[in-house]
Structure formats: C-alpha cells, structure tokens
Amino acid sequence: MPHKDVNYKKKGAACETHHIFVRRIMNSMGMETLDQMLLSSWYHVHSSVPPSYVQLPENRPGRVVSSLHKAIPVIDLGSHDPAHTTNQMLKASEDYGFFQVINHGVSKDLMDETLNIFKEFHGMSPKEKVNECSKDPNGSCRIYTSGENKMKDEILYWKDSLTHPCPPSGEYMEYWPQKPSKYREVVGKYTRELKKLALKILEVLCEGLGLKPGYFCGGLSENPAVLVHHYPPCPDPSLTLGLAKHRDPTIITILLQDKEVQGLQVLKDEEWIGVEPIPHAFVVNIGLLLQIITNGRLVGAEHRAVTNSSTARTSVAYFVYPSFESIIEPAQVLINGNTPPTYKSMSFGEFRRNFFQKGPKIEEELQ
Ligand code: OGA
Ligand code: NI
C-alpha cells in the first residue's frame, strides 16, 4: 500500500482517532477490543454461563458457613477502652486475618457518595469507561475484566475492575476518570480519608504487636491504590466466581462493600464464611506484606468473591501499598532466638514482580 494512504496526519485528535483505528484493525482481525471484552457489555445477552466461566467443581462456591453461626469480629474504633480495642484487633488479625470496623470516623455521606460514584462509573457505556481509563500512556489507571491479566486466567472471573493509584499527594490524579463529573472530587476526598483510617488501624496494630509508633507511616503506606470491582448478576452463581481465592499483596486492605449485596467470603479452618455487609462499616484484612513484617504472627487470610443472580455488586478496595523501594522483611523486634525470621527480605518492587509472575505460588518464594 502506498505510504500516503496511511493517515497519520491528525495528530491533534490522536487519542480518539487511535482508539477508533485500533478497534477497526482488531475487529477486522476478528479480535475483540477491550470495551467489547468487558463483562458489563455482554453479560445480559446470555441466559447461561459461557463455558469459559465455569469453574472446576472443586473451586465452585458450594457450602458456606452461615454468617449467623460464625462471623468475622466487629471492632468499635470509637470505644472508650483503647486497650480492649487493641486486644480485639490483634486477636482478630491472628485468628481470622479479617475484621470489620465501626465508628471509624469516615462520614456515612462520603461512603455513600463514593459507592454511588463508582456504581455510576461502572454503569457508563463500555466505550466511555475505556476512554476514561486511557489518559495515562503508562497505564496507571486501568479497567479490565476477569483477573488483572485475563490472558493468564485459565477460567474467567465474573467481574470488571477499575484500578488506579491514589496517594494523598494527588500524584496520578490527572489520569483518573473525569466522568462521572464529580469523580475526582469525591474519590480524592474519600482516598484522603481512607489514608487516615489506614494509619489509625495500623497504629492500633503497632501498639498490639509492640512495634514503634509510626512504623507504617512512611514508605510502607506511601503508594496506595483503589481497586473497584463490579460483579454483574450471573445466570448461575453456583458455577462461577467473581474473584478467585487469594491473599492480598498489601499491608492491609480496607473494603467498602455494597450495603445489601453479599459476595465476600473468608476461608477460616477450611470453611468459607460469608462476610455480612454491615451498613457503613469497613471490612479490613491483613495482607501478605503484613504477614511477612509480623513474621507470620498475623495472617493474610484467603478470601474470594461469589456472584448472585439478581443484583450487581460493587466493592471498593483501598490497598495500602508501600513505595517500590521499601524493604519488606520481618520487623527486628519480632524476631529473636526462639522466633527466627521465616521470610526473606525483598523490596516491594521485587515482591510485586514475583507476585504478578507467580500469583498465589509466590508464597513458596518468600520463605
Ligand atoms: C480484593 C478483594 C473483595 C470483594 O480486591 O482483593 O478481595 O468483595 N475484594 O470485592
Ligand atoms: Ni482481596
């Protein structure tokens, strides 16, 4: 083809034109574009679960312990007995790796507004969603379907997710979505509040563990991200998972869940426990990094998300991530002659590379 036929001229409209160009090429090759891949763009035309989403029998949802019989602990952060709060949180983190917090100081209105903004985001057209997540050439803000790397998922997961960094410095905010129109304002305010809450929770854990106050205040909590999952209704929830069994690659994770819709489950003593949504509570879980820092005293519990057939579920995870240079290793005060370190020391950057290559098998690499 003569060179002049290839239209590279319209540099001004580069982004939009490039998208249309990529779509046309991919369509002509019989390939799907990202917006066409999003579950939200096609799930409603199916009356049964496509085979690529059917989990192996051993991984299907199956039996769940009723949350009335066993529930993850609920901790009152506004309690007037701080020593009791510390003990409770430490015990929950040792026994379950999970707890919920109430009276946490984040306003209910802000929690509602945030959940609504994200619901609205996931309710936009697939093309619009992809566009709103294409502002950073380095890909700091991403929308994807199934797991973070769909190509790696042998069986697919029933969800779409949006993720971007959210440090209080405001760095990266220029790449966040601008639709819905209040997105940056609301998510900016929310993530600033969540940083405070994260440090409040980590201070309580520090106290309980005997770590220096402020242990997590610097590099270890410098690089947070939000991860917003959208699980559309599924024609047969008994065959699918929204999110595979995993431990979070974080220090801690703070989750805002939909008020009415169940979906999160925690593995405890080989049984799956449903995490009951408590309106305006946050679900907190210990991540693998804190498991390493505490030399295994606190557990990064395994959890997963299941789907349901009637209502879409949205959840907003705030991931407390360190800076890439931060060294992740058992804290000096927690190791001694009787408890030698059981984990290697590595930078968070190295940990992340391993995590994305190895997935759950990373645990063998850490020892
Ligand atoms: C996660 C996670 C749970 C949920 O994002 O790591 O476990 O309910 N989310 O979406
Ligand atoms: Ni998780």
Side-chain angles (χ1 to χ4, degrees), residues 116-134:
N116 287 338
I117 281 277
F118 286 126
K119 283 187 181 183
E120 241 183 277
F121 175 86
H122 279 291
M124 297 187 321
S125 82
K127 271 191 217 157
E128 219 166 4
K129 284 186 276 193
V130 170
N131 249 326
E132 290 305 307
C133 295
S134 306

Side-chain angles (χ1 to χ4, degrees), residues 170-302:
E171 200 191 346
Y172 301 106
M173 202 190 251
E174 64 193 293
Y175 304 124
W176 291 7
Q178 281 168 299
K179 284 183 198 162
S181 59
K182 285 178 82 179
Y183 187 99
R184 290 185 184 177
E185 181 191 329
V186 172
V187 178
K189 197 164 165 201
Y190 178 76
T191 52
R192 283 192 298 276
E193 286 296 305
L194 267 271
K195 170 90 200 227
K196 286 189 226 158
L197 176 59
L199 291 179
K200 198 193 259 188
I201 292 167
L202 287 167
E203 278 309 286
V204 177
L205 289 173
C206 264
E207 163 86 25
L209 290 161
L211 293 173
K212 269 202 319 274
Y215 192 90
F216 297 98
C217 285
L220 288 175
S221 58
E222 206 172 87
N223 201 14
V226 279
L227 203 53
V228 186
H229 306 298
H230 172 69
Y231 306 93
C234 172
D236 189 348
S238 73
L239 300 177
T240 55
L241 286 177
L243 189 56
K245 175 172 95 171
H246 69 284
R247 298 179 214 270
D248 291 350
T250 60
I251 301 279
I252 57 170
T253 301
I254 306 180
L255 187 82
L256 168 59
Q257 13 176 26
D258 229 311
K259 274 190 273 265
E260 285 103 26
V261 199
Q262 293 231 7
L264 176 61
Q265 299 180 344
V266 177
L267 193 60
K268 159 89 172 137
D269 303 329
E270 291 166 43
E271 284 181 319
W272 286 104
I273 306 179
V275 178
E276 196 72 34
I278 302 175
H280 300 113
F282 284 106
V283 179
V284 181
N285 68 276
I286 305 300
L288 259 178
L289 303 177
L290 193 50
Q291 180 176 319
I292 297 173
I293 292 168
T294 62
N295 204 29
R297 178 157 171 202
L298 306 189
V299 287
E302 290 180 296

Side-chain angles (χ1 to χ4, degrees), residues 220 247-251 286-293 300 319-329 343-367:
L220 288 175
R247 298 179 214 270
D248 291 350
T250 60
I251 301 279
I286 305 300
L288 259 178
L289 303 177
L290 193 50
Q291 180 176 319
I292 297 173
I293 292 168
F319 272 23
V320 178
Y321 279 141
S323 62
F324 288 104
E325 316 76 61
S326 293
I327 300 297
I328 309 300
E329 62 186 3
Y343 297 97
K344 297 197 277 220
S345 161
M346 59 174 88
S347 71
F348 179 58
E350 202 181 336
F351 174 90
R352 249 180 98 90
R353 277 193 299 281
N354 269 326
F355 190 83
F356 282 113
Q357 271 163 23
K358 308 243 163 53
K361 292 205 186 79
I362 191 181
E363 278 156 66
E364 298 154 22
E365 298 289 312
L366 301 174
Q367 316 266 325

Side-chain angles (χ1 to χ4, degrees), residues 83-156:
H84 178 63
T85 307
T86 305
N87 288 338
Q88 260 188 320
M89 196 183 290
L90 198 66
K91 186 154 172 38
S93 306
E94 288 171 338
D95 294 350
Y96 292 82
F98 261 86
F99 50 89
Q100 305 212 43
V101 290
I102 54 171
N103 291 323
H104 41 63
V106 181
S107 100
K108 292 179 179 173
D109 286 347
L110 183 58
M111 294 173 81
D112 291 344
E113 237 184 319
T114 303
L115 200 59
N116 287 338
I117 281 277
F118 286 126
K119 283 187 181 183
E120 241 183 277
F121 175 86
H122 279 291
M124 297 187 321
S125 82
K127 271 191 217 157
E128 219 166 4
K129 284 186 276 193
V130 170
N131 249 326
E132 290 305 307
C133 295
S134 306
K135 299 176 198 290
D136 184 0
N138 293 319
S140 63
C141 177
R142 274 171 300 136
I143 186 159
Y144 57 90
T145 191
S146 189
E148 274 221 84
N149 186 350
K150 185 182 177 213
M151 307 301 242
K152 270 210 220 154
D153 294 337
E154 280 162 29
I155 296 169
L156 302 177

Side-chain angles (χ1 to χ4, degrees), residues 5 7 13 20 28 34 45 92 95 136-137 188-189 224 227 247:
D5 284 355
N7 188 356
I20 295 167
S28 70
L34 176 54
V45 301
D95 294 350
D136 184 0
K189 197 164 165 201
L227 203 53
R247 298 179 214 270

